[in-house]
Amino acid sequence: MKPSENIEESIRERRYRATAEAYDKALGSFMQAVDDHEKQKAAAPGPHIWRIIMTSRILKLAAAAAVVIAAASVVSYFGGSIDGATPLWAIEQTIEALDDTRNCVISGTANGPLRSMPFKCQIESDDCLRYESDDEVYVIKGDLSHLYYPAYGEVVVRSGGDPTWYHKLMEIRLWASGSLLERLRTMADDWQETYADDIQTGRESVFVTCTYLDRSIWFQVDVETKLIVRGKLWRHVGMQGAPAYVAETILYNVEMPDETFDFVATPGVKVVSEEERKARSALFDEAWALDKKKQNGEAIELYQQIYEKYPTWQWAAWSLERIGDLNRLRLGRRDKAVELYEKIIREYPQLSYRLLRTYHSLGRCYMAAGRNDKALEAFETCLELGRQRNEQWFVFDDCKDKIAELKQALDREQ
Amino acid sequence: MVEDRLLIWRCRQGSRAAFRRIYEKYESDLRTLAANLLGDTAAAEDVVHDVFVSFLKVVGDFELRSSLAGYLKTCVANRARDYVRKRRGQSVTAADVERATPDDGPLRLVVQSEELQKVGSAMSRLPYEQKEAIVLYLSGRMRFRTIAKLQKVSVKTAHSRYRAGLDKLKLMLNSEVGK
């Protein structure tokens, strides 16, 4: 068929798609813009919620309706249930009970992209928090935040609060703060309460499920104390798969040492100041802008500077990998790329997530160079490193395809 | 439509997942539209990125009057036109359309057949207004009324541009096949 015969259909069919890797990067860049925008929004003082309600006619009516419903609920609660089958509990009691607590300690499991690990989170009032897991330690006291990454051996200090961390930590605090629980009750969708006894303790409990901002939440309230005793949170709607956080025990009014919310850096840890954090971010942005414009030489120079000046920064290994990618994909220098990927493997053995990509890229280099045995080894190492990873990732599918292809080629060679 | 309204509402609450969902939902169509308009995949990537970032900035005051897809496509068309105006003087050639290969830059152009390559090459030689009318109608699935509004011309003119563009394409392609 001549192209002119069905030209409209030909034009409709023209689809342009990014590779999975390019798509990941473009999406990552957009999500970074989202984060930056949210940070700016959080930094700017917004109108008070009451002012928003009172300036909107519809919201004013909705608020009035909510007050009437709340009042009706209270009346209903004090009246008790007729047949006595429903326990005497209302979420407002839990909000009040949480507000009366001095502090709490949440222990449980955090399921990261690569592995699951135990965490402990100590919370006192609304502005003191200490979260510890093998991967990260956050300490927030008032406006001062410390974020320590043991794998990178550096601690980042921030003042003036940090909305990114706040969002992460809010996920854990949802069960532990009266004010956040109140907000959750108002804003959540699909709120459901189930009354049952706790299988382990036999205590009367209420099991609550809801969704809030694309998170699914489950928590258990002890009817006698009115306090939340366990919780789970998924970062998607629907409770499939492993939750991002499982709060296995929540203890209230625990004796805590005075220095709990003081961050003390262990010897040998690099402390990154606010100025240094800004300087290295600016350098990275500049490198990325040049990279996007395909000014490869200049971009490589800046990525190299990032690696040399800030070797412990989490983006140093990324920068080195990007130099490898630019050599491989844009400059056709596969040998140089192999050299760089091997350098990452030597110098950053602790960064298992980064190494997944590095081994994948290394495999592709070797495969393109016809070194099938080395390529097979690299793809298999990538899969091995990703064995415990909790989610699907295109790299793994690609590795599996390439391994099958390489095995066939090696069989033919033999 | 209902999902889009909900997503926009959630975006206003600062939901990363909602922004991500919108991106995932529309990125592919917008990229295709931009690449078809510009004939340059790298520029298309920039245009789509800019459209999403500008959406992010206005979402707080955004009122969805028709469809979100329509709004985003209009933004892509406007930005693509701005891009072409800035680049005027530099010709967009068939080589721009065909140069992207798996290892050439971050984007891969998936050309489904030789015929499609020829169509792309011919389209790059059309006057921009005609090409825009064709792409917005066929690839963007926009109505002539919307295209006319976007091009600030009457519906009849938008339709004429589309027909004239298609006729030229047919001529070009027939002469190529005849060679």
Side-chain angles (χ1 to χ4, degrees), chain B residues 88-112:
Chain B
R88 196 152 275 175
Q90 304 167 26
S91 59
V92 185
T93 65
D96 286 332
V97 182
E98 291 164 4
R99 73 182 172 194
T101 62
D103 274 356
D104 180 28
L107 280 177
R108 189 199 314 215
L109 167 64
V110 179
V111 180
Q112 289 165 339

Side-chain angles (χ1 to χ4, degrees), chain A residues 9-292:
Chain A
E9 201 175 319
S10 297
I11 294 166
R12 275 196 198 102
E13 277 175 7
R14 284 172 63 85
R15 300 290 304 172
Y16 292 79
R17 292 188 191 93
T19 60
E21 194 177 353
Y23 176 81
D24 263 8
K25 279 178 185 157
L27 175 61
S29 173
F30 174 62
M31 293 315 290
Q32 183 61 49
V34 171
D35 289 342
D36 292 346
H37 182 70
E38 289 302 316
K39 275 183 208 166
Q40 281 171 9
K41 249 170 58 180
H48 192 274
I49 184 69
W50 194 245
R51 192 184 301 165
I52 295 171
I53 290 171
M54 295 316 283
T55 50
S56 158
R57 204 170 163 188
I58 293 168
L59 284 177
K60 238 192 285 188
L61 286 171
V67 168
V68 170
I69 290 165
S73 306
V74 169
V75 169
S76 157
Y77 160 66
F78 281 112
S81 60
I82 296 164
D83 57 9
T86 308
L88 294 178
W89 175 83
I91 187 72
E92 290 74 14
Q93 290 176 301
T94 297
I95 292 167
E96 203 180 308
L98 286 174
D99 281 341
D100 286 344
T101 59
R102 200 173 66 250
N103 61 38
C104 79
V105 180
I106 305 174
S107 308
T109 308
N111 293 306
L114 278 171
R115 62 198 175 106
S116 301
M117 70 193 85
F119 77 85
K120 182 180 173 186
C121 185
Q122 295 159 280
I123 302 168
E124 194 169 88
S125 67
D126 267 352
D127 60 354
C128 286
L129 185 144
R130 182 183 194 93
Y131 172 90
E132 286 180 78
S133 73
D134 288 350
D135 274 7
E136 55 204 4
V137 177
Y138 295 89
V139 181
I140 298 173
K141 190 175 184 180
D143 277 350
L144 193 65
S145 316
H146 289 85
L147 172 53
Y148 170 47
Y149 295 109
Y152 300 100
E154 69 167 42
V155 55
V156 182
V157 185
R158 287 192 182 187
S159 54
D162 186 322
T164 315
W165 302 357
Y166 175 77
H167 284 306
K168 178 180 165 66
L169 296 169
M170 195 180 80
E171 291 179 334
I172 309 162
R173 284 162 54 152
L174 280 174
W175 310 296
S177 149
S179 55
L180 286 171
L181 187 63
E182 193 170 11
R183 181 173 165 192
L184 182 69
R185 181 63 192 99
T186 318
M187 305 288 285
D189 297 321
D190 310 322
W191 185 276
Q192 283 181 22
E193 295 164 6
T194 310
Y195 297 85
D197 291 345
D198 184 300
I199 297 170
Q200 289 164 357
T201 62
R203 290 173 70 86
E204 261 189 304
S205 304
V206 185
F207 298 87
V208 179
T209 55
C210 62
T211 55
Y212 175 55
L213 297 179
D214 295 321
R215 267 115 172 109
S216 297
I217 295 159
W218 172 98
F219 62 85
Q220 179 185 349
V221 178
D222 182 271
V223 169
E224 190 186 329
T225 62
K226 319 292 181 204
L227 290 169
I228 293 172
V229 290
R230 284 194 287 164
K232 291 178 194 175
L233 181 138
W234 290 258
R235 290 205 183 105
H236 52 257
V237 174
M239 297 182 184
Q240 306 90 7
Y245 292 103
V246 180
E248 280 139 19
T249 56
I250 307 178
L251 303 173
Y252 298 91
N253 301 322
V254 179
E255 283 307 315
M256 287 183 195
D258 290 344
E259 61 275 13
T260 302
F261 303 104
D262 295 330
F263 183 84
V264 181
T266 43
V269 167
K270 180 179 162 53
V271 178
V272 180
S273 66
E274 188 78 17
E275 290 72 33
E276 183 175 340
R277 188 184 65 76
K278 282 181 184 162
R280 67 190 191 182
S281 295
L283 187 57
F284 183 83
D285 288 347
E286 204 182 331
W288 180 240
L290 291 167
D291 187 340
K292 274 186 77 180

Side-chain angles (χ1 to χ4, degrees), chain A residues 1-5 7-19 21-23 25-27 29-35 37-38 41 167 183 187 189 211-215 235 237 292 294 322 328-330 364, chain B residues 9-10 12-20 23-24 27-29 31-32 35-36 41 45-46 49 52-53 56-57 97 103 105-110 112 115-116 119-120 123 134 138 141 162 166 169-170 173-174 177:
Chain A
M1 186 177 68
K2 287 179 188 176
S4 58
E5 282 173 9
I7 201 162
E8 285 99 329
E9 201 175 319
S10 297
I11 294 166
R12 275 196 198 102
E13 277 175 7
R14 284 172 63 85
R15 300 290 304 172
Y16 292 79
R17 292 188 191 93
T19 60
E21 194 177 353
Y23 176 81
K25 279 178 185 157
L27 175 61
S29 173
F30 174 62
M31 293 315 290
Q32 183 61 49
V34 171
D35 289 342
H37 182 70
E38 289 302 316
K41 249 170 58 180
H167 284 306
R183 181 173 165 192
M187 305 288 285
D189 297 321
T211 55
Y212 175 55
L213 297 179
D214 295 321
R215 267 115 172 109
R235 290 205 183 105
V237 174
K292 274 186 77 180
K294 297 192 180 176
R322 189 64 193 153
R328 175 168 70 101
L329 300 171
R330 292 197 195 156
R364 283 188 154 253
Chain B
W9 181 80
R10 286 195 160 143
R12 284 202 201 112
Q13 315 301 312
S15 167
R16 283 182 102 249
F19 280 115
R20 192 189 171 103
Y23 188 91
E24 287 170 348
E27 185 270 348
S28 173
D29 284 351
R31 187 186 289 269
T32 295
N36 275 327
T41 52
E45 188 189 16
D46 287 345
H49 178 78
F52 277 116
V53 170
L56 165 71
K57 287 176 184 161
V97 182
D103 274 356
L107 280 177
R108 189 199 314 215
L109 167 64
V110 179
Q112 289 165 339
E115 279 72 24
L116 289 183
V119 172
M123 276 182 49
I134 291 172
L138 294 174
R141 287 162 207 275
Y162 170 79
L166 272 189
L169 274 181
K170 280 180 187 167
L173 290 167
N174 283 333
V177 170

Side-chain angles (χ1 to χ4, degrees), chain A residues 378-391:
Chain A
F379 288 130
E380 283 178 340
T381 311
C382 173
L383 275 189
E384 180 58 27
L385 280 172
R387 209 156 41 90
Q388 290 178 333
R389 203 177 151 89
N390 292 326
E391 58 193 53

Side-chain angles (χ1 to χ4, degrees), chain B residues 36-118:
Chain B
N36 275 327
L37 284 168
L38 296 167
D40 179 340
T41 52
E45 188 189 16
D46 287 345
V47 162
V48 171
H49 178 78
D50 289 349
V51 165
F52 277 116
V53 170
S54 67
F55 170 72
L56 165 71
K57 287 176 184 161
V58 301
V59 75
D61 305 311
F62 186 72
E63 266 184 57
L64 190 59
R65 289 193 189 122
S66 54
S67 75
L68 181 58
Y71 168 79
L72 292 171
K73 281 176 192 170
T74 305
C75 291
V76 165
N78 285 331
R79 283 191 182 258
R81 202 176 317 124
D82 287 348
Y83 181 89
V84 170
R85 272 184 201 140
K86 277 182 199 159
R87 208 172 60 160
R88 196 152 275 175
Q90 304 167 26
S91 59
V92 185
T93 65
D96 286 332
V97 182
E98 291 164 4
R99 73 182 172 194
T101 62
D103 274 356
D104 180 28
L107 280 177
R108 189 199 314 215
L109 167 64
V110 179
V111 180
Q112 289 165 339
S113 67
E114 201 187 334
E115 279 72 24
L116 289 183
Q117 278 194 16
K118 283 177 184 160

